[in-house]
Amino acid sequence: MPSREHLSTLLDPDGTVLLTVECQQGVVGPDSALPELAKEARSSGALANIARLVAGAHRGGVQVIHAIAERRPDGRGANHNARLFRAAERLPVQQLSGTTAVRVAPPIEVAEEDFVVRRLHGLSPLAGTDVDALLRNLGCRTLVVTGVSANVAVPNTVFDAVNRGYNAVVPADAIAGVPSDYTPALIRNTLALVATITATDDVLACFERPRR
C-alpha cells in the first residue's frame, strides 16, 4: 500500500477524477444480465464501497464520471469480433439504450455535476469515447478506477489510463470480477505493476481532508 503522503499527493482533488465502470442496473443490479458478477459485486462489498467513494467525491469536490456500456436495439455500431460480444447478444437482459438496464445502479447516487458517458462499442470506457477528452479538459492527473468487471473492463480502463499518461489509482475493495479469487490475483499480478493499489477508506480520507 502507498504511504499516506504519497496517496495524498496523487489524490489532490483539483487533479483527480473518480470513474465508475459499468455500475449499471443491467450489470450489477438485481435483474442483472450477469447474475454471478452482480452477486459478487454486492457480496464482496465492492458496490457499497463504490457508492461510498462517489458520495465522498461529491462532498470533497472531486469530479465523478460514470461510464456506461450499452447497445442500440438494432445492434448497429456494436462489436462482433470476440466471443464476449457474441455471448452478450444472447443474454436475456440486454443493455439497451434508454432502458432501466443502463441506469446507474443503487446505492450509487448520480449528482447534477457528474458526467454520465455512454459507449456503444469496445471494452474500455477510454477508447473511442468522450472520457479522455473530458479528463484533459478537467485537468485530471489521477484517475481513480472503480467498478466491474475485473475480468475485462477494469484492466482495460487502467491500461488505457496509463497509456494516456494518467496516474491510475485502484481501490482494491471497490472492483469486482468472477470468480471471487480472480480479482485479488489480477490486482497482485497485473494491476499492481501499473497502478497505485489502495483501499476505499484511504481514498476517502484524501477526498475528505481539508482543502488548502
Side-chain angles (χ1 to χ4, degrees):
M1 290 289 183
S3 69
R4 179 167 296 183
E5 181 179 0
H6 176 63
L7 193 62
S8 179
T9 300
L10 275 179
L11 296 178
D12 180 342
D14 291 332
T16 298
V17 172
L18 173 68
L19 180 70
T20 74
V21 179
E22 298 183 21
C23 293
Q24 57 206 69
Q25 294 195 38
V27 175
V28 296
D31 299 319
S32 170
L34 304 165
E36 185 180 1
L37 177 60
K39 179 180 178 182
E40 178 62 25
R42 292 177 178 275
S43 65
S44 68
L47 189 61
N49 284 331
I50 295 164
R52 292 174 60 213
L53 285 165
V54 169
H58 291 158
R59 291 191 298 269
V62 175
Q63 181 66 57
V64 178
I65 298 178
H66 305 279
I68 301 296
E70 59 182 48
R71 59 185 285 117
R72 288 166 46 121
D74 60 11
R76 290 174 66 85
N79 288 68
H80 305 281
N81 58 333
R83 177 184 171 190
L84 175 66
F85 302 122
R86 296 190 293 272
E89 293 173 2
R90 299 191 295 271
L91 291 173
V93 177
Q94 293 289 307
Q95 313 300 317
L96 298 181
S97 302
T99 66
T100 301
V102 296
R103 295 178 186 168
V104 176
I108 299 168
E109 294 189 0
V110 181
E112 185 177 354
E113 63 268 23
D114 294 358
F115 290 100
V116 179
V117 178
R118 303 178 182 279
R119 76 177 196 275
L120 293 171
H121 58 81
L123 300 171
S124 167
L126 269 72
T129 73
D130 289 339
V131 172
D132 185 37
L134 289 172
L135 294 176
R136 296 191 185 282
N137 290 345
L138 292 163
C140 177
R141 296 181 296 278
T142 298
L143 186 65
V144 181
V145 179
T146 68
V148 296
S149 74
N151 305 78
V152 179
V154 168
N156 264 271
T157 304
V158 172
F159 295 150
D160 283 349
V162 172
N163 285 333
R164 287 163 171 77
Y166 301 106
N167 298 305
V169 172
V170 178
D173 54 356
I175 66 171
V178 289
S180 58
D181 59 356
Y182 181 78
T183 300
L186 170 79
I187 291 169
R188 183 174 60 253
N189 297 303
T190 303
L191 297 187
L193 303 177
V194 295
T196 297
I197 307 301
T198 185
T200 292
D201 286 345
D202 294 328
V203 174
L204 286 173
C206 293
F207 283 179
E208 297 174 356
R209 71 184 186 273
R211 301 291 293 272
R212 286 180 277 180

